Amino acid sequence: MSQRIRIGKIATLLAMLDESEQTPFESMFQEVETCTGKVGSMNMQKVISSVETAVKRHGLIEEGVYRETHALYHTIVEALEGVTRGQLAIGETMRTVGLRFAVVRGKPYSEVKEGEWIAVAFYGTIGAPIKGLEHEAIGLGINHI
């Protein structure tokens, strides 16, 4: 592979690690733009909106440029498919999620023509809306901008 920066790996690490655990990886994080946050909901739209809002507030995508918003949306949905095991539903199937997310934007390829890419990672829990009846879940999506 001709990748120089692993944006998926960086996003997954950021989503999974607490701030105090990130120190050994700080040099890796400096090569890309990042954004992190948390979301808990039984509503898929709220999960998507939370990530989009955080990304726009951190300036990771240019709000008025459709291809950037479009790439982010598809990347979020791809990551959610991992969390939901391919069944893109939570509240409708009596499931709730409590997730940390990380979004990474960078140029993973050494060839300049490959351009920028975006990765979204989720890590947290999914399960019945009853405390203690959830389990860990993770999802990763990567898309070109």
Side-chain angles (χ1 to χ4, degrees):
M1 251 177 133
S2 62
Q3 289 187 321
R4 59 181 186 89
I5 298 172
R6 308 279 185 189
I7 62 172
K9 181 178 185 176
I10 295 169
T12 303
L13 283 169
L14 281 171
M16 292 183 74
L17 299 175
D18 293 325
E19 264 188 53
S20 63
E21 300 170 313
Q22 294 176 8
T23 306
F25 307 99
E26 284 178 350
S27 63
M28 188 187 322
F29 302 153
Q30 292 173 356
E31 297 187 51
V32 293
E33 295 178 74
T34 65
C35 168
T36 60
K38 294 179 181 180
V39 61
S41 183
M42 285 183 71
N43 183 317
M44 189 75 68
Q45 290 173 324
K46 286 184 181 177
V47 175
I48 294 168
S49 295
S50 292
V51 177
E52 285 184 351
T53 300
V55 167
K56 289 174 182 176
R57 283 188 181 153
H58 281 86
L60 258 68
I61 67 167
E62 197 170 327
E63 201 167 340
V65 179
Y66 176 70
R67 67 182 168 80
E68 294 199 2
T69 304
H70 187 76
L72 175 63
Y73 173 79
H74 282 286
T75 308
I76 294 168
V77 171
E78 183 179 348
L80 282 171
E81 285 177 354
V83 170
T84 61
R85 298 180 183 173
Q87 301 171 8
L88 274 176
I90 21 182
E92 301 86 351
T93 56
M94 291 306 294
R95 299 188 293 181
T96 187
V97 294
L99 302 168
R100 291 193 328 211
F101 63 84
V103 182
V104 175
R105 180 178 180 154
K107 297 177 181 177
Y109 294 96
S110 51
E111 177 59 52
V112 177
K113 293 178 189 175
E114 296 296 343
E116 289 187 295
W117 290 64
I118 195 160
V120 174
F122 289 106
Y123 173 75
T125 59
I126 186 169
I130 302 166
K131 189 80 171 144
L133 295 182
E134 62 275 330
H135 60 80
E136 289 176 293
I138 191 166
L140 174 66
I142 300 175
N143 206 330
H144 59 87
I145 298 177

